[in-house]
Amino acid sequence: MIAADLHIHSCLSPCGSLKMSPRAIIHEAEEKSLSLITLSDHNACANCAPCIRLGQDVGIQVIPGMEVTTVEEAHVLCYFSSLDAAEDFADFIYDHLPKIYNNPTKMGDQVIVDEFGTITGEIDKYLGAATDLSVDRLFEEASSRGALVVPSHIDRPYAGLIAQLGFIPDIPFHGVEVAFRRNLPMAEGFSILASSDAHIPELIGSKRSLFPGDEAPGFAVLKRALKNRQVITVFDEA
């Protein structure tokens, strides 16, 4: 089985710990025996490249992604088959963020770091803001670029589809993410992912998804598992 954690934030997310460098993420993923992870920062993917390179060094496949906030303030995960596709979509998302500029002291750091943990830049717009894209429009834009689109933690009382919209819209999502085992019935009819949504290193792998397959893990394996509903969810808590 392939063990995956497909929702991890780095120090680029304003809510993420500065300890969440690509190197720290890969180290923790290796310690937790994960072979497939996704770096999914809020509305950006600038730390995906070093994370991918570091993962290759230790045999961990990193799918480039991001967690986009829609105009309804719902969080939606987008997974991409290539770094180029993710970076192109990140540029698109940046243009759809409001002109609210980050104040690190009040709103959190948004730092880009290299493989060694050296800060090489920052993103100026506040990444915790909602874009002007509806859930429908986001799905159309992301899926037209070949992305897998999975609403985040649909069962949470904030930033999930059900909390923000009151229902799961009739959109052909590739799956949904559930935060708590007790809420799995809320996702009936969908492929379900469990992921840590880690913002600190210790939480990486605390929730995970298992996929069948003997081949190297990656985007194609995830796509097939979601399509065929072959995902086993593992939670540390009820």
Side-chain angles (χ1 to χ4, degrees):
M1 299 292 284
I2 295 167
D5 186 346
L6 300 170
H7 187 170
I8 298 173
H9 292 270
S10 81
C11 50
L12 180 60
S13 291
C15 48
S17 167
L18 283 175
K19 295 180 180 179
M20 290 291 273
S21 67
R23 182 169 293 277
I25 290 168
I26 293 300
H27 172 76
E28 196 70 23
E30 189 177 19
E31 289 288 308
K32 302 292 179 59
S33 300
L34 298 169
S35 56
L36 179 66
I37 66 171
T38 294
L39 190 59
S40 49
D41 282 309
H42 289 292
N43 297 316
C45 71
N47 279 343
C48 282
C51 201
I52 290 170
R53 291 192 289 268
L54 289 166
Q56 290 170 342
D57 291 342
V58 297
I60 295 175
Q61 182 72 25
V62 180
I63 294 176
M66 65 189 74
E67 185 176 31
V68 179
T69 305
T70 70
V71 72
E72 301 94 345
E73 298 192 359
H75 290 179
V76 180
L77 293 160
C78 300
Y79 304 128
F80 294 88
S81 61
S82 71
L83 181 60
D84 286 345
E87 289 177 339
D88 175 73
F89 195 66
D91 290 341
F92 170 79
I93 292 298
Y94 185 86
D95 290 339
H96 287 270
L97 283 169
K99 292 182 179 179
I100 300 172
Y101 294 94
N102 190 47
N103 180 332
T105 302
K106 295 181 178 180
M107 302 155 85
D109 296 290
Q110 299 183 162
V111 293
I112 303 167
V113 299
D114 63 17
E115 291 94 325
F116 305 101
T118 302
I119 295 174
T120 60
E122 300 181 44
I123 291 183
D124 55 356
K125 282 186 180 179
Y126 177 53
L127 296 176
T131 66
D132 63 4
L133 301 169
S134 66
V135 174
D136 303 67
R137 174 85 187 282
L138 174 63
F139 177 83
E140 292 171 2
E141 293 288 349
S143 60
S144 71
R145 293 167 169 84
L148 300 174
V149 184
V150 175
S152 312
H153 40 66
I154 63 165
D155 53 326
R156 281 189 180 169
Y158 59 92
L161 278 183
I162 295 174
Q164 301 307 123
L165 277 70
F167 61 96
I168 301 176
D170 187 18
I171 296 172
F173 296 116
H174 299 91
V176 297
E177 180 191 72
V178 170
F180 303 104
R181 183 189 293 113
R182 63 181 178 270
N183 294 328
L184 287 173
M186 297 171 68
E188 184 177 359
F190 290 94
S191 280
I192 304 170
L193 293 178
S195 301
S196 68
D197 191 8
H199 290 67
I200 59 174
E202 294 79 8
L203 287 183
I204 292 172
S206 58
K207 302 170 190 176
R208 60 183 67 192
S209 299
L210 305 180
F211 312 123
D214 297 323
E215 73 270 45
F219 181 86
V221 169
L222 172 60
K223 184 176 182 179
R224 183 177 68 241
L226 290 173
K227 180 180 179 181
N228 296 332
R229 298 189 184 178
Q230 295 175 313
V231 185
I232 298 172
T233 54
V234 180
F235 298 84
D236 275 1
E237 73 285 330

